Amino acid sequence: MFDLDKWQEIFSSLGRHKLRTFLTAFSVWWGIFMLVVLLGAGTGLENSAKHDFENDAMNVLWVWTQQTSEPYKGLPAGRFIEFNNKDFEIVNKHKEVKHGSVRNRMWGEFFISYKNKSLSYGVEAVQPGHAVIEKPVMTQGRFLNDKDIEMYRKVCVIGEPVRKGFFGEGAAIGEYLNIKGVKYQVVGTFEEERLSEMERIYVPSSTVQRIEGTDRVQTMVLEMGDATLEESLALEEKIRQEMAVQHKFSPKDKSAIGFYNRTEDFQDITSVMLLIRTFIWFVGIGSIIAGVIGVSNIMLIIVKERTKEIGVRKALGATPRSIVSMIVQESVFLTSVAGYIGLASGLLLVYGINSFMVANDIEAEFFRDPTVDISAVLIALFILILSGVVAGLIPALQAVKINPVIAMKS
């Protein structure tokens, strides 16, 4: 039941010391406000990290050749290892590998020509699996397919900057680009998140190998589906053992071939994000606790100031329960109002920043789409209110112990 007299007393008590009430409420407001802002900032960092990984396939293993670091079976250290098509076939058959591609980069940037125009772009010889791994977004035509590889077709897929460089706003499909003296027909155009990845031309690896008279493979890129970190690391070791047999180097020589495991990187990023979230909650809860302690101290002072009033109440028959509820209600009211205002202020700031970034098309490299998990904040607010109960309960129990006679003499 709503007790108007009790609420009038609460507002009267808080109004008598406006500055003290404001500073106490501010400490609670600051605690929940900082928690919301920190959670939003943490989410922005986490979303940025996830976005970087989502641009490409998540579980990807790059394997490339290097130099041996130790002698093996009469062969000297310092030998350069070279992969070939057979190596890729062996590796690509593992059950963990869902999609694979060779990636032969034509080192340096070559002058590509179209009619009387020559421009410099990077050229990479790849296979159809590259589309699954790097996830280029096709804007026209298609990516390379299995028939291109099998029939050694002279076709190419170009990035949007390449298309605009040669053809302006015109269509590129069906046109021919001269790459190192060989004409390749454009069958598709694509775009990617990173500009550097768009300034490329992809051609079939088999075509380039036939033209150059070699079956050399520089890099093998393997997409591992939903493989766990342990499975991807086990695949690394299996590949090392197989390549050691194929190219006669020590299975323990970790310098002979190189690996880059995106799964391991993602695991590291996830661990860092977990530490950041833990730190944010630690700082936020610490700020809230500081505010609650401030409320408890203020309520103790209020009880001290109202000693005579409480003594009169007890002398007139006020029950301990009524006295406790009066003080606890005042504490809960103060923490709840300050907490809700802090929550609203924090959400307004976080989503205001988000809206500003979206409206102005701002994409910070390390900060993206800051949001707040409302359920987590509401739980924190509930804990805050519960703490407000505790903060008021301690002074209230002190008030119950007051002797009416002594209190009225004070």
Side-chain angles (χ1 to χ4, degrees), residues 9-10 13-14 16-17 20-21 294-314 320 322-331 334 388-403 406-408 410:
E9 290 177 13
I10 289 172
S13 173
L14 294 175
R16 280 198 296 270
H17 302 283
R20 186 173 67 191
T21 300
V295 172
S296 182
N297 288 335
I298 291 302
M299 296 311 298
L300 281 169
I301 294 171
I302 289 173
V303 168
K304 186 70 175 175
E305 290 176 346
R306 298 173 66 182
T307 299
K308 188 171 185 177
E309 176 195 331
I310 293 170
V312 172
R313 285 175 177 274
K314 294 187 73 175
S322 66
I323 294 172
V324 168
S325 65
M326 177 184 67
I327 296 170
V328 168
Q329 195 169 339
E330 185 173 333
S331 173
L334 189 59
V389 174
V390 176
L393 189 60
I394 297 171
L397 294 176
Q398 290 286 96
V400 169
K401 295 177 183 178
I402 293 174
N403 186 301
I406 297 174
M408 288 187 288
S410 64

Side-chain angles (χ1 to χ4, degrees), residues 68 72 79 81 240 243-245 247-251 253 256-257:
T68 60
Y72 182 70
R79 288 183 299 123
I81 303 299
R240 191 191 309 281
M243 294 301 101
V245 173
H247 296 277
K248 296 181 175 60
F249 63 84
S250 171
D253 187 353
I257 57 176

Side-chain angles (χ1 to χ4, degrees), residues 110-136:
F110 300 98
F111 281 101
I112 320 300
S113 60
Y114 171 74
K115 295 183 177 179
N116 296 324
K117 183 181 288 186
S118 291
L119 298 171
S120 179
Y121 294 105
V123 182
E124 292 188 1
V126 299
Q127 293 183 337
H130 182 85
V132 179
I133 296 165
E134 296 292 337
K135 296 184 178 179

Side-chain angles (χ1 to χ4, degrees), residues 9 16 21 34 62 89 102 116 119 150-151 185 214 237 244 248 259 276 296 314 319 334 337 372 376 396 408:
E9 290 177 13
R16 280 198 296 270
T21 300
M34 284 305 300
W62 277 262
E89 290 171 6
V102 304
N116 296 324
L119 298 171
E150 293 169 8
M151 300 178 68
Q185 185 180 34
T214 178
E237 190 55 36
K248 296 181 175 60
F259 292 96
I276 290 175
S296 182
K314 294 187 73 175
T319 63
L334 189 59
V337 171
V372 178
M408 288 187 288

